[in-house]
């Protein structure tokens, strides 16, 4: 099966870093074999497009080319995929964007439907891990983000049901010291959930 994974820094595999937003910070990745999507590479052709700071339909004030709604046509140009997995929503919870969980889900709906229309692929969406407030990063950039990210679990689940998308919940996954990035253990747990969902929906495929 051909699988395309599209997402943000948790797709990229960023290791939590409490100093990650400082000007001299260097983002580091987990080894490939520790990333949640790596188990899918055993029996499938997997391509991954995950970049830190990517939002669904908002311009990142610090990084260029992170508005998925503006780059998606180029990002999926020539793509042949049976399944597209979308891991977005964490960055959209930032205070700067001023969005509700319902508005974020509406933006994701437009993006996911566009991808499905252009590729004909099945779609899986996943709700992000709950952002944990109370540190210098989340208090500055994600005021109110903890509840908002929790609420995405319901709005995304409703969206999946509406369109027949597969859905995987990440709301209870552990994040590290920066309050937003998955721990190694959470990557393992998320990967197991994705495999289980695919086995349920692709009974004749070796996942």
């Amino acid at each position: 099966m051909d699988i395309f994974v599209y997402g943000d820094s948790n797709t990229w595999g960023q290791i939590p870093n409490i100093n990650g937003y400082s000007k001299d910070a260097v983002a580091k990745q987990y080894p490939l074999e520790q990333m949640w999507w790596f188990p899918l590479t055993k029996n499938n052709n997997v391509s991954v497009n995950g970049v830190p700071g990517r939002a669904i339909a908002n311009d990142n004030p610090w990084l260029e080319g992170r508005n998925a709604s503006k780059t998606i046509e180029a990002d999926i140009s020539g793509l042949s995929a049976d399944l597209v997995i979308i891991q977005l929503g964490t960055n959209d919870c930032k205070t700067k964007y001023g969005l509700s969980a319902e508005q974020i889900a509406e933006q994701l709906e437009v993006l996911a439907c566009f991808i499905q229309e252009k590729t004909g692929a099945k779609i899986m969406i996943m709700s992000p891990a709950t952002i944990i407030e109370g540190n210098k990063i989340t208090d500055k950039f994600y005021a109110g983000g903890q509840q908002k990210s929790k609420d995405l679990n319901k709005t995304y689940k409703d969206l999946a049901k509406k369109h027949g998308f597969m859905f995987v919940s990440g709301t209870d996954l552990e994040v590290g010291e920066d309050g937003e990035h998955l721990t190694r253990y959470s990557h393992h747990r998320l990967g197991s959930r994705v495999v289980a969902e695919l086995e349920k929906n692709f009974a004749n495929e070796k996942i």
Side-chain angles (χ1 to χ4, degrees), residues 83-157:
L83 170 70
V84 175
I85 303 176
I86 305 173
Q87 185 181 32
L88 290 171
T90 297
N91 288 296
D92 304 272
C93 290
K94 286 177 176 168
T95 314
K96 178 179 179 63
Y97 300 135
L99 299 171
S100 67
E102 290 75 19
Q103 289 171 319
I104 294 170
E106 288 170 1
Q107 291 181 345
L108 181 62
E109 180 177 23
V110 173
L111 182 72
C113 289
F114 178 84
I115 293 172
Q116 188 170 57
E117 179 185 351
K118 293 295 183 181
T119 66
K122 292 184 181 295
I123 302 291
M124 175 188 288
I125 60 174
M126 52 179 64
S127 59
T130 298
I131 295 164
I132 303 300
E133 295 180 79
N135 66 66
K136 65 181 183 181
I137 288 178
T138 54
D139 285 353
K140 181 175 181 179
F141 296 101
Y142 289 99
Q146 187 161 328
Q147 185 59 51
K148 190 182 299 184
S149 58
K150 285 183 180 179
D151 292 342
L152 285 180
N153 196 62
K154 181 182 185 304
T155 59
Y156 277 26
K157 189 174 183 178

Side-chain angles (χ1 to χ4, degrees), residues 1-3 37-46 82-83 85 124 166 191-207:
M1 182 162 55
D2 294 323
I3 301 174
W37 47 261
F38 185 77
L40 301 177
T41 65
K42 182 178 180 180
N43 297 309
N44 304 280
N45 298 315
V46 180
D82 303 298
L83 170 70
I85 303 176
M124 175 188 288
M166 284 169 272
S192 296
R193 291 177 186 181
V194 170
V195 169
E197 182 68 11
L198 292 181
E199 287 176 340
K200 184 172 68 175
N201 285 272
F202 293 91
N204 296 322
E205 298 279 351
K206 190 175 181 180
I207 304 301

Side-chain angles (χ1 to χ4, degrees), residues 4-7 47-51 54-56 64-81 84 88 111 114-115 118-119:
F4 180 61
V5 184
Y6 188 69
S47 57
V48 180
N49 184 327
V51 291
R54 178 178 276 152
I56 299 167
E64 293 292 327
R66 299 308 200 268
N67 184 330
S69 68
K70 292 183 177 179
T71 65
I72 191 58
E73 196 155 1
D75 292 337
I76 63 173
S77 177
L79 177 68
S80 176
V84 175
L88 290 171
L111 182 72
F114 178 84
I115 293 172
K118 293 295 183 181
T119 66

